[in-house]
Amino acid sequence: MTETKTDPRILRTRKIIMDSFIKLSGKKEFKDITIKDITTEAMINRATFYYHFEDIYDLLEKALSEVLLINLNTNLYQNSELNEDTIIRLFQAITNFQLTLSNRCHRGYEDTIARIIREQIEVIIFNLLVKQFPGEEKKAHKVTASMLSWGIYGASVEWRRNNNSTSPEEYIKLAIPYIIYGIN
Amino acid sequence: MTETKTDPRILRTRKIIMDSFIKLSGKKEFKDITIKDITTEAMINRATFYYHFEDIYDLLEKALSEVLLINLNTNLYQNSELNEDTIIRLFQAITNFQLTLSNRCHRGYEDTIARIIREQIEVIIFNLLVKQFPGEEKKAHKVTASMLSWGIYGASVEWRRNNNSTSPEEYIKLAIPYIIYGIN
DNA sequence: TTAGATGTGTAGTATATACAACACATTGTA
DNA sequence: TACAATGTGTTGTATATACTACACATCTAA
């Protein structure tokens, strides 16, 4: 809302860097991608990279967040409530995102990536909860969001592992009553 | 050869501007394209436009030259002589370029565009002649290049006008003996 | 072990781009 | 006519990016 517009040069350069990184991720494993590779691909100076990102892990984090967030924003920007529909869309976005990831080789960095994704989910859920129940305790929202994010992320991992014929929607629907109405 | 490498920012920005201009040319007539349109499309500041180009006609000139030159370079960079083969490739590049142009609306600026194209052809032919006959008088090369450029450009106009089944290659082949061996 | 090669991260300076403001011209419209 | 709106081209200043050099780490080969 109170967005102060950022310098177009910054937006442009960040996008070039992230796009180059994503492109390289399709060719090499993460551990083999050097910062020189990225800046060469992006045709920017190496020093400029450090102007925007702390190091390559910072880039990984921001690139993943951005890609995931774009997926999510287009999916559930309209819905501002945490309900059955929202959860289904969220889950679909995650499984979809995981599928694109699995086509790229990030061997050895699965844990980092998993953490980033889960944190993103947590942020999204937290914001939804705050909007939905403005008066209540934020600490409770925090814990709830944390637990839900772990649960939903874990579900996406399990879904991918049992890569059977169940669609993401059907899969998560099995758990939704528990999420929404609780154990009772 | 003695290319002093130019700042990547300049290359990048020029490309963005030209690409935006070409993109806009597909939507609007030239006379309706404002500099604000271009800079908005390119997401650069209007002052930056004037850093690179004098005005919109300067951009038109450079954009056309560049597109035509790229066509030509990829076609006849290998051949450094002005022979039958070179002329055929040159003619093909021009007709091909004219076809792409005809899909865009530049009504009222045909003359300007024609001049730019012809001048480009002249430069190319002149350079070929200088390379081919290094010892001889440059003034003669100049006149020869001028006449040939007018002739070849004119032929491309005629070819397009009689838009019949003759291919550019067949068409120009009819005139090649005259060009190469002269009237006798 | 020692060098050499490659990668990371930082700092100082030069240059390109962003932005805002301005004067001026052109166009449409009341 | 007037006067608002839109476009052109310029200028001054702030900021982002390019470039170069440097110190340091890691790895490989002699």
Side-chain angles (χ1 to χ4, degrees), chain B residues 7 9-10 13 45 47-48 51-52:
Chain B
D7 194 315
R9 286 174 289 185
I10 291 184
T13 303
N45 196 276
T48 305
Y51 184 88
H52 292 279

Side-chain angles (χ1 to χ4, degrees), chain A residues 20-38 41 103-107:
Chain A
S20 304
F21 172 63
I22 289 174
K23 186 172 176 187
L24 284 175
S25 300
K27 297 180 189 165
K28 292 185 180 187
E29 297 187 32
F30 177 75
K31 75 174 174 50
D32 293 330
I33 297 177
T34 70
I35 291 174
K36 187 84 187 65
D37 289 339
I38 295 167
E41 171 77 29
N103 296 331
R104 312 180 174 281
C105 294
H106 290 295
R107 248 178 297 160

